[in-house]
Amino acid sequence: MVTYVSAMGVRRGFQCDDGQVTRFRWIGAAIAAMAFATTVTMPAAHVEATAPPTTEVANTAPVATNDLLPENNNLSDCIGTAEPANCGSRARADGHTYLVFLALAAGLTFIGWRIARGVRIRDRAHDPTL
């Protein structure tokens, strides 16, 4: 008995004959050759190093009106990863800093409580003797 599928030559799955495999290989080789040619023939940017312009730096301290910046020190002397001595001000630790810390601690406490509560509810659902 000949079915429609076998008469039309339809096969199950993805099958290629030798001609299709060869075409796929040629297409892949052509794409690789174009990518290689594009990479090799790209013009390189020509960059020359020049000496920086010579300018004289004034020894005046910058004018700052921020309360968090030091008043008696040069601002450029206070730049770095670790803050040197006499580079801060009294305005750095006021009540607002502590309020932000308390809000952060309260938020983390609330999140921890919700996680613990969810774990207890999950454990009770799996083990009803708890």
Side-chain angles (χ1 to χ4, degrees), residues 1 9-10 17-18 21 26 35-36 47 57 60 63 83 91 96-97 110-113 117 119 121 123-124 126 128 130:
M1 171 184 211
V10 177
D17 59 355
D18 290 338
V21 170
W26 275 106
F36 179 75
V47 178
V57 179
T60 61
V63 177
E83 185 177 307
H96 295 102
T97 306
F110 177 75
I111 291 171
W113 172 73
R117 182 176 166 218
V119 168
I121 290 171
D123 288 346
R124 284 187 193 138
H126 290 299
L130 292 177

Side-chain angles (χ1 to χ4, degrees), residues 70-87:
E71 296 174 5
N72 299 331
N73 285 350
N74 190 353
L75 183 60
S76 60
D77 293 339
C78 294
I79 296 175
T81 55
E83 185 177 307
N86 298 326
C87 282

Side-chain angles (χ1 to χ4, degrees), residues 4-120:
Y4 176 76
V5 173
S6 63
M8 296 303 292
V10 177
R11 300 180 203 154
R12 292 186 176 195
F14 181 74
Q15 297 176 353
C16 299
D17 59 355
D18 290 338
Q20 287 175 328
V21 170
T22 305
R23 275 190 301 244
F24 286 140
R25 287 182 182 163
W26 275 106
I27 291 171
I31 291 172
M34 286 190 306
F36 179 75
T38 305
T39 308
V40 171
T41 61
M42 288 177 63
H46 184 69
V47 178
E48 287 186 18
T50 59
T54 57
T55 58
E56 293 185 25
V57 179
N59 266 344
T60 61
V63 177
T65 58
N66 191 341
D67 290 338
L68 299 178
L69 298 176
E71 296 174 5
N72 299 331
N73 285 350
N74 190 353
L75 183 60
S76 60
D77 293 339
C78 294
I79 296 175
T81 55
E83 185 177 307
N86 298 326
C87 282
S89 72
R90 287 266 194 218
R92 285 198 133 176
D94 60 351
H96 295 102
T97 306
Y98 298 117
L99 288 176
V100 169
F101 177 73
L102 288 175
L104 181 66
L108 289 173
T109 303
F110 177 75
I111 291 171
W113 172 73
R114 291 291 297 182
I115 291 172
R117 182 176 166 218
V119 168
R120 275 190 244 120

